[in-house]
Amino acid sequence: MSSRTERLRERLFDQAPGICSERCRIFTDSMRKSEGQPIVLRRAEAFYRVLDSMSIYVNDDELIVGNQASQPKYAPIYPEYSTDWLREEFDGKPYYFNERPGDRFFYDEKVKEEILSCLDYWEGQSVYERLRAELPEEINRAWDANVIDDTWVSAAGLGNVIVDYERVVNEGLENVLRRIDARLEELSGEDEETEHQTDFLKAARRTNEGVIRFAQRIAEECERQAEQHEDPVRAEELRKLSEISRHVPEHPARTFHEAVQSIWLILLAVHLETNGHAISLGRFDQYVNPFLERDLEEGRISRDEALEIVESFFIKCNELNKLRSWPDTEFFMGYQMFINLAVGGQTADGKDAVNLSSELCVEACENLRLFTPSISVKWFEGTGDGFMLKALNAMEKHQGGQPAFYNDKAFMRTLENMGIDEADRYNWVPDGCIEASIPGKWDYAAKGPWLNVEKVLEIVLNDGTDPATGYHFRDPAAPVRESGSTEEIFEEYKRMLRYFIDLQVETERINDAIHVELDLNAFRSSLVDDCIVRGKDLVEGGSVYSADGGPTAGTISAGDALAAIDHLVFNERKLTMDQLLHALRTDYQDDTTIPSGEEIRLLLKNKAPKFGNDDDRADKWVVALEDYIGSTYRYECRSSKYGKGPVPCCYSYSQSPVTGNIAFGKSIGATPDGRRKGEPVNNGISPANGSEKHGATAACNSVIKLPSIWFQKGAIFNMRLAKSALSSAAQKQKILDMIKVLFRNYGQQIQFNVVDSDTYKKAMAEPDKYRDLMVRVSGYSALFTSLSPECQIDVISRAELNV
Amino acid sequence: MSEKRELLRVFNIERFATEDGPGIRTVVFLKGCSLRCRWCANPESQSFRPEILVKVNACGGCGRCASVCSEGAVRALSGSGYVSDPDRCIRCGSCAENCFSDARELLGKDYTPEELVKILLRDEEYYLAGGGGVTFSGGEPCWYSGVIAETAAMLKARGINILVETCGQVPEENLREVSSCAEAIYYDIKHVDSLRHRELTGAGNELILENLRWLCGNYSGDLSVRYPYIPGCNDGEEDIQEFFRLLRELKLEKAVFLPYHRLGTDKYKGLGRKYEMGEMESLKKADLAFLVEAGAAVGIRVTIE
């Protein structure tokens, strides 16, 4: 790591996260003044105003410049999505932002007052409040019972977008403007549709101009500083940075440095347009490498200088931040932005796509040990072992599960099933946590309400009623205690799942309609095909590809629960259904029964087969459940954009719950997998905590049985590795052998946590000493010390596989 | 012990073993050994009979095991929880089955070669991905030489690598049979002096050394000689030099040293047995680093595992 990178990294850790009121104030002021005009134009103008007048900083040593807020790691506020929680949390309910158990944000009174003074304007017309007001009673009940939850895409903007960076670096925004103008000229007619298209294109124009203006302002700041800087070397650097920002992203990049600066500015602008997260970078190594090769060839840059630019860029990505409400934070713990960056994979003609830029990204990942961007290695049969071992080396040093590994073969099969054009499939990338997207052609790689899968089972075991809220959702065919087989319970479970899946779809239909009315975003849309041609925003159906689906949590735990019922109640008859149901309803605390509540819990936990051990008695239930959910989403559900342009507009299955497995677990009572009330459910498709007993290959074999064809939105497979498992090249090769077997069998993804539990325990006791300790919680990495204690304990309690 | 065994009596099958030979492996631990090394980390491997092992830390102390035992063989032992008396225990397993905490396990399950192969093949793809395979360990696997040869033949036919770990205290014919089917043999030497060897392990080392000589002359696979380095037992400077002299005499150029560890202590408790090494502390790899130089001085390439 160069001394510059070291200083930048150190400064990043010294900076505490905070709240910035600038965007909130400028945006709200602009919106106040534009009442009555079409929303797409109003938002475009407000976006322009923000870029035109927000403060700009350029800090020492930076090679990539431009900022999201008044200070690094400060989160701008987007009041148009939701206001109630801001008022409440500024009032300390449930916590003051700066006193939260995790993900704290600092602020001063002035910032607080400035934000509060904007909120009146948004009262009753923010997206979240509108949605909750418009949802039918039964959906609000399901939401309040924590069966579904759509906070993340209503109290905040829509995210999971990968715009066409490749086109921007090669053609510049000037070409976007040309295409907008050409389309505007083509449009004729007086009808409402044409009018709306015209408005959209005008808005797109305005927003692109705003981004160009923003770059010019950054250039001006660099110039200003250059004139005053005492160090002539830095002054020269600043002049060069100014020149770069004058040129990109408006024009095509001429150098590697310009290409990276251009990408950063686009990433920044998309983040400033809305606060939807998981704005990812796509195949960064592919679209920047031609610039790097040319610069190297022509002697404009050295390898080390290029690495320094990549590192400076990665550090900038860590300056982005988002303030979520506390309940939403519980699903996304760890200051997460989910900026994913893919390397490797294959070229259009099926060759190994690994290049020098791929290697620089992996090196930067290893050197920096940061959680953003999330480095994802795409593997296919032609990926060389050398690169994979390099990535495993980086993963060992990083300790936070990066890079993670993704399988082209599995994802491309899924995309084929969804009708994605063959010419686009190889180019897929993981967005955000892990969901597959086609860069520049897909709207939102993930969107829609969460589903609490094991909660639905709890409701089935209570004959259609949620015991926590008392809400009754649906009458069963027969009381569960009269079930004669696990299959009967499973049939009822499927019916209940279908009921809630339909509620998910209906929720998102209403949510989309509200976004269409209140939340059109022309800048990001102008960088995704075919929004300009169609004259439509992404949320209106402007993109080539689209499929909805929010994260789910707890499928593995629910499958384990069915396996336990099957094994102990119906096969071995060690328990009756009545005994089981009584134990669940009393959270295993009734010690007057024989066996006692606690004994029943131990039986369920220890004497029933569990997923993750290559044991068909458990795996078959998980597979059946996953097949049902996955195929229902794929073939039975349609998003609001169906028939409006994009394909396939189905739903798809996501099992990347981030920390939602903990948040959702809190609302679920005791379950037959031996889980106590309130405990977390399993994470992704990783075996439930403590249930892996036969090592890594057995866990992989269980995962291989899952129908990954349904997993377009990803399924996180987390594996803890002891440090010794990576202690030598020969040991790493064994891990690679295992990954290959998993992937050849359509396993989709795997990520590792390499650390000792002792280290985590020490970090809990002395967080200051471990402020850079990383952990891969689920589909992303986080700083361990930023997590809440219960989240930290969850990390520690994950079974350490003996590898 | 020379009767022909038709079944493999297994006390543990460890998948994704990465420390026991090349590639990804499954280790099959066979029950029974004629040595009684003081430091043995797998005391449950010694007896040829099945036995109940209690995971003392998992035991919740409910006593259900004692109440279901028809023979009155389970008793509470201070410091160990509920242990089974091997003389009274009839190995029915009902205590283990009724232990809801999963703290009791009946070790010593018999498999035919076909049954075992079926389990081992669950990880076949992983073995074949990188030259891995199956390691037979123990106990002393050579007591099962006939059934191992049968098992190994089925595995080798599929290209799976076979490795055997032995203490060498077996008839030569057993070793001969095993060595003909194993690509590699890990061979333990505990002490070069036979009297001291008897004190430490219960038997002299004549047969072990004789078998090693036979292997050196006849075995064409990869032979790795290993020396568990046990403080106060075989760690004297002269002990080590004697060991090196033996290797040189046999024209062996490398040796693996295994640092003493006390990971087996809980198992002694769980079997109701006394751990003879007392409070002796575990060694780290780094503690044995000096042996690399000592070996190099006499032409032996030493590695520490």
Side-chain angles (χ1 to χ4, degrees):
Chain A
M1 199 163 28
S2 72
S3 59
R4 178 204 304 271
T5 302
E6 241 166 78
R7 287 192 299 273
L8 288 170
R9 183 179 185 274
E10 193 55 31
R11 231 175 276 149
L12 186 71
F13 281 108
D14 287 341
Q15 174 77 45
I19 298 172
C20 171
S21 56
E22 285 189 22
R23 190 259 175 204
C24 180
R25 171 175 48 78
I26 304 165
F27 189 86
T28 305
D29 283 351
S30 176
M31 293 297 279
R32 276 188 221 271
K33 288 176 192 146
S34 61
E35 290 276 0
Q37 293 177 41
I39 187 69
V40 71
L41 287 166
R42 293 180 68 202
R43 285 188 60 90
E45 184 59 24
F47 177 60
Y48 186 97
R49 293 280 156 217
V50 170
L51 296 175
D52 184 53
S53 59
M54 63 177 275
S55 58
I56 284 176
Y57 63 77
V58 172
N59 288 330
D60 276 353
D61 291 311
E62 287 185 329
L63 291 176
I64 297 296
V65 288
N67 50 288
Q68 185 199 20
S70 55
Q71 291 188 58
K73 288 156 73 168
Y74 271 46
I77 300 299
Y78 298 73
E80 66 267 39
Y81 297 107
S82 178
T83 57
D84 289 356
W85 64 276
L86 282 164
R87 249 190 265 276
E88 284 165 17
E89 294 190 43
F90 272 126
D91 206 23
K93 296 172 202 158
Y95 308 105
Y96 291 104
F97 292 111
N98 55 4
E99 292 178 3
R100 290 171 160 189
D103 282 27
R104 289 180 185 173
F105 286 83
F106 296 92
Y107 58 92
D108 58 31
E109 279 305 300
K110 182 171 166 285
V111 163
K112 173 181 161 182
E113 290 312 318
E114 201 159 71
I115 292 168
L116 288 176
S117 73
C118 295
L119 298 188
D120 286 346
Y121 174 74
W122 297 103
E123 193 76 51
Q125 54 168 330
S126 69
V127 177
Y128 175 83
E129 281 85 20
R130 277 277 306 276
L131 179 63
R132 292 308 298 259
E134 289 177 27
L135 286 177
E137 175 68 14
E138 66 175 335
I139 292 182
N140 275 325
R141 284 178 155 207
W143 192 327
D144 292 338
N146 286 302
V147 190
I148 64 172
D149 189 311
D150 208 22
T151 308
W152 74 301
V153 285
S154 56
L158 306 179
N160 303 68
V161 177
I162 307 177
V163 300
D164 198 342
Y165 301 95
E166 181 165 11
R167 199 159 186 171
V168 175
V169 293
N170 288 315
E171 299 174 4
L173 295 182
E174 64 187 13
N175 190 49
V176 178
L177 288 170
R178 274 197 296 273
R179 286 190 292 125
I180 291 170
D181 289 346
R183 187 71 189 120
L184 273 169
E185 268 181 40
E186 281 167 18
L187 286 178
S188 57
E190 303 285 307
D191 58 304
E192 204 178 310
E193 195 191 338
T194 314
E195 201 175 309
H196 178 71
Q197 288 172 318
T198 306
D199 288 343
F200 168 80
L201 290 165
K202 282 181 181 162
R205 172 163 254 298
R206 186 66 173 156
T207 53
N208 274 274
E209 286 166 353
V211 174
I212 292 168
R213 167 81 187 117
F214 188 41
Q216 298 303 325
R217 293 183 61 223
I218 295 165
E220 282 161 23
E221 175 61 16
C222 291
E223 256 155 54
R224 190 188 67 76
Q225 287 193 20
E227 276 160 33
Q228 296 173 357
H229 213 285
E230 290 164 5
D231 176 3
V233 179
R234 179 60 183 165
E236 184 50 36
E237 257 174 24
L238 285 162
R239 269 187 284 275
K240 192 179 154 203
L241 290 173
S242 160
E243 197 186 305
I244 291 171
S245 281
R246 290 259 180 242
H247 192 77
V248 291
E250 181 176 7
H251 307 294
R254 295 165 299 191
T255 62
F256 178 70
H257 198 162
E258 284 188 354
V260 180
Q261 173 66 29
S262 183
I263 292 156
W264 165 245
L265 212 80
I266 300 302
L267 184 73
L268 200 50
V270 175
H271 276 98
L272 278 160
E273 193 177 27
T274 88
N275 66 343
H277 63 224
I279 308 302
S280 292
L281 289 160
R283 300 186 74 183
F284 179 84
D285 62 338
Q286 302 304 300
Y287 56 77
V288 299
N289 202 57
F291 295 93
L292 177 58
E293 295 287 354
R294 202 163 57 220
D295 283 3
L296 283 168
E297 214 167 280
E298 294 171 10
R300 260 192 304 273
I301 200 173
S302 70
R303 191 185 190 280
D304 285 349
E305 284 166 344
L307 178 60
E308 212 174 38
I309 289 170
V310 171
E311 289 175 346
S312 191
F313 170 55
F314 283 10
I315 287 170
K316 286 301 277 187
C317 290
N318 286 272
E319 289 185 5
L320 300 171
N321 215 341
K322 169 171 176 173
L323 183 71
R324 299 174 177 89
S325 68
W326 175 249
D328 201 28
T329 300
E330 290 198 90
F331 284 78
F332 298 110
M333 199 62 86
Y335 300 112
Q336 293 303 327
M337 299 306 287
F338 307 104
I339 300 170
N340 209 313
L341 182 153
V343 296
Q346 54 195 296
T347 60
D349 55 353
K351 303 251 165 54
D352 185 1
V354 168
N355 57 37
L356 180 57
S357 300
S358 330
E359 289 183 5
L360 293 182
C361 290
V362 169
E363 279 169 43
C365 170
E366 174 177 338
N367 291 340
L368 294 172
R369 285 170 288 121
L370 294 171
F371 60 79
T372 301
S374 261
I375 306 298
S376 299
V377 170
K378 282 181 36 154
W379 178 90
F380 82 120
E381 281 290 350
T383 305
D385 279 6
F387 184 68
M388 290 295 280
L389 290 170
K390 189 180 170 79
L392 284 169
N393 263 324
M395 191 265 285
E396 179 192 9
K397 301 276 162 33
H398 187 277
Q399 296 198 356
Q402 287 188 31
F405 300 90
Y406 294 77
N407 182 10
D408 267 9
K409 184 176 171 173
F411 275 106
M412 286 165 71
R413 177 179 71 160
T414 301
L415 294 172
E416 182 181 5
N417 172 270
M418 291 172 76
I420 306 307
D421 192 3
E422 189 178 358
D424 285 329
R425 281 177 226 149
Y426 81 98
N427 212 23
W428 82 274
V429 278
D431 170 88
C433 290
I434 166 164
E435 51 280 1
S437 180
I438 304 297
K441 294 192 175 181
W442 200 296
D443 53 1
Y444 316 99
K447 180 171 84 58
W450 287 66
L451 178 66
N452 191 344
V453 175
E454 199 172 27
K455 178 80 190 174
V456 178
L457 180 61
E458 186 193 14
I459 292 170
V460 169
L461 295 176
N462 286 279
D463 293 326
T465 300
D466 170 39
T469 56
Y471 293 148
H472 182 73
F473 291 100
R474 200 182 162 280
D475 288 330
V480 70
R481 60 178 300 271
E482 291 169 15
S483 304
S485 68
T486 318
E487 284 74 13
E488 270 178 48
I489 298 171
F490 186 50
E491 286 307 310
E492 189 57 43
Y493 187 20
K494 287 197 280 191
R495 286 190 286 270
M496 192 65 81
L497 280 166
R498 183 59 202 261
Y499 169 80
F500 285 109
I501 285 172
D502 288 343
L503 295 190
Q504 280 184 293
V505 173
E506 178 61 5
T507 304
E508 200 54 10
R509 190 188 63 74
I510 297 169
N511 191 35
D512 278 352
I514 294 169
H515 278 280
V516 166
E517 193 186 323
L518 301 178
D519 185 32
L520 299 182
N521 297 290
F523 178 65
R524 47 162 67 184
S525 299
S526 73
L527 302 184
V528 176
D529 286 348
D530 275 330
C531 292
I532 292 178
V533 174
R534 293 185 195 151
K536 277 183 178 178
D537 185 278
L538 291 173
V539 76
E540 298 173 302
S543 63
V544 177
Y545 301 121
S546 177
D548 276 357
T552 68
T555 310
I556 303 292
S557 294
D560 282 346
L562 291 171
I565 295 173
D566 198 42
H567 185 72
L568 294 171
V569 178
F570 294 109
N571 292 339
E572 299 215 327
R573 300 191 183 271
K574 286 193 171 155
L575 286 175
T576 65
M577 206 59 203
D578 282 334
Q579 282 176 310
L580 173 66
L581 293 172
H582 178 79
L584 297 178
R585 281 163 201 167
T586 52
D587 192 20
Y588 307 116
Q589 289 182 7
D590 187 348
D591 55 11
T592 63
T593 57
I594 298 172
S596 71
E598 176 61 8
E599 284 172 332
I600 291 175
R601 191 186 71 80
L602 290 169
L603 255 179
L604 294 166
K605 193 110 196 150
N606 297 321
K607 295 292 184 184
K610 296 278 184 288
F611 179 83
N613 297 297
D614 196 9
D615 182 341
D616 287 337
R617 294 174 304 166
D619 297 350
K620 69 174 182 183
W621 292 107
V622 176
V623 169
L625 188 51
E626 301 234 326
D627 228 2
Y628 176 74
I629 296 173
S631 60
T632 301
Y633 278 144
R634 170 69 185 90
Y635 294 119
E636 309 278 326
C637 301
R638 286 176 180 178
S639 76
S640 71
K641 296 182 207 73
Y642 187 86
K644 293 180 179 169
V647 290
C649 295
C650 59
Y651 270 65
S652 191
Y653 198 2
S654 159
Q655 295 177 85
S656 49
V658 195
T659 49
N661 66 312
I662 300 168
F664 267 160
K666 284 183 186 173
S667 66
I668 313 172
T671 42
D673 46 328
R675 224 189 102 266
R676 290 190 187 93
K677 182 179 179 180
E679 286 182 351
V681 296
N682 81 288
N683 194 311
I685 51 168
S686 313
N689 285 355
S691 63
E692 306 137 320
K693 289 188 174 151
H694 295 282
T697 51
C700 286
N701 282 354
S702 284
V703 165
I704 284 169
K705 293 172 198 170
L706 301 178
S708 72
I709 194 164
W710 311 126
F711 301 169
Q712 176 253 325
K713 304 202 186 294
I716 299 288
F717 181 23
N718 254 317
M719 185 179 279
R720 273 274 289 283
L721 289 182
K723 275 184 177 168
S724 62
L726 294 165
S727 58
S728 67
Q731 291 295 77
K732 288 192 184 83
Q733 183 67 46
K734 294 176 189 182
I735 303 292
L736 177 53
D737 291 346
M738 182 188 74
I739 295 173
K740 284 185 185 175
V741 174
L742 177 69
F743 283 1
R744 283 178 188 144
N745 289 284
Y746 294 99
Q748 208 188 37
Q749 184 263 7
I750 188 165
Q751 57 194 26
F752 301 96
N753 259 334
V754 186
V755 77
D756 301 335
S757 345
D758 277 356
T759 317
Y760 286 134
K761 286 176 195 154
K762 284 181 200 150
M764 280 188 84
E766 297 178 289
D768 283 349
K769 285 191 186 165
Y770 293 89
R771 61 181 187 164
D772 64 351
L773 178 64
M774 303 284 306
V775 58
R776 188 101 189 172
V777 176
S778 161
Y780 74 100
S781 314
L783 288 174
F784 180 78
T785 51
S786 75
L787 303 174
S788 69
E790 73 191 313
C791 212
Q792 292 176 327
I793 289 165
D794 181 67
V795 169
I796 293 170
S797 71
R798 283 193 49 75
E800 183 157 346
L801 291 177
N802 186 26
V803 290
Chain B
M1 285 300 159
S2 58
E3 85 271 19
K4 189 89 178 154
R5 291 172 184 276
E6 285 172 5
L7 298 172
L8 296 110
R9 179 161 289 169
V10 173
F11 72 88
N12 188 17
I13 296 175
E14 190 193 340
R15 294 167 72 171
F16 199 55
T18 55
E19 310 286 339
D20 302 82
I24 295 173
R25 312 191 71 81
T26 297
V27 184
V28 179
F29 292 91
L30 293 153
K31 207 157 172 353
C33 182
S34 41
L35 295 184
R36 290 292 180 271
C37 306
R38 286 188 194 174
W39 54 84
C40 181
N42 290 326
E44 77 280 25
S45 75
Q46 294 174 347
S47 165
F48 284 86
R49 302 178 66 192
E51 58 198 315
I52 294 283
L53 176 68
V54 181
K55 284 174 257 174
V56 286
N57 292 326
C59 174
C62 69
R64 178 186 301 273
C65 47
S67 67
V68 299
C69 180
S70 60
E71 308 301 307
V74 181
R75 67 203 155 95
L77 187 70
S78 140
S80 293
Y82 289 82
V83 298
S84 294
D85 179 348
D87 294 333
R88 298 169 79 174
C89 174
I90 57 165
R91 280 87 183 164
C92 68
S94 72
C95 61
E97 199 182 316
N98 280 286
C99 176
F100 297 165
S101 301
D102 227 12
R104 307 178 73 81
E105 200 179 351
L106 178 61
L107 299 177
K109 189 172 180 224
D110 292 337
Y111 294 89
T112 64
E114 289 76 15
E115 286 167 345
L116 189 60
V117 164
K118 201 174 159 200
I119 294 169
L120 296 173
L121 289 183
R122 295 194 82 94
D123 283 353
E124 181 177 22
E125 266 192 273
Y126 301 92
Y127 312 145
L128 298 179
V134 172
T135 298
F136 291 96
S137 183
E140 175 45 61
C142 290
W143 290 117
Y144 298 85
S145 56
V147 266
I148 284 182
E150 240 181 280
T151 310
M154 286 185 256
L155 297 171
K156 282 165 73 78
R158 310 178 74 108
I160 295 168
N161 175 286
I162 305 293
L163 189 151
V164 173
E165 294 184 292
T166 177
C167 71
Q169 182 70 4
V170 286
E172 186 192 296
E173 58 178 287
N174 291 47
L175 190 66
R176 195 186 285 259
E177 194 166 25
V178 161
S179 67
S180 68
C181 66
E183 270 93 353
I185 294 180
Y186 284 3
Y187 200 97
D188 279 9
I189 295 293
K190 274 100 181 185
H191 207 290
V192 178
D193 179 74
S194 187
L195 278 176
R196 184 67 178 140
H197 195 278
R198 187 177 295 277
E199 283 170 22
L200 295 171
T201 72
N205 65 9
E206 289 77 8
L207 181 58
I208 294 171
L209 296 183
E210 206 177 297
N211 278 334
L212 181 59
R213 285 200 178 85
W214 181 86
L215 276 177
C216 287
N218 298 282
Y219 181 58
S220 59
D222 182 15
L223 177 64
S224 166
V225 177
R226 306 159 82 82
Y227 191 94
Y229 184 93
I230 316 296
C233 293
N234 61 6
D235 64 333
E237 202 184 326
E238 194 45 37
D239 299 338
I240 303 298
Q241 288 305 329
E242 279 293 328
F243 174 56
F244 286 152
R245 270 195 285 279
L246 171 70
L247 296 177
R248 283 166 56 99
E249 178 204 324
L250 294 171
K251 306 217 170 356
L252 291 166
E253 291 162 353
K254 51 183 188 173
V256 177
F257 281 85
L258 311 164
Y260 164 77
H261 65 79
R262 39 189 308 116
L263 298 176
T265 46
D266 281 347
K267 296 184 188 172
Y268 283 89
K269 280 188 199 161
L271 292 168
R273 285 172 50 178
K274 183 171 175 281
Y275 184 52
E276 292 182 45
M277 299 302 290
E279 296 303 310
M280 174 95 67
E281 276 184 38
S282 292
L283 295 175
K284 292 190 270 310
K285 279 188 186 183
D287 298 330
L288 270 58
F290 74 96
L291 290 169
V292 176
E293 223 168 282
V298 293
I300 304 286
R301 191 153 47 82
V302 167
T303 48
I304 320 290
E305 280 186 5

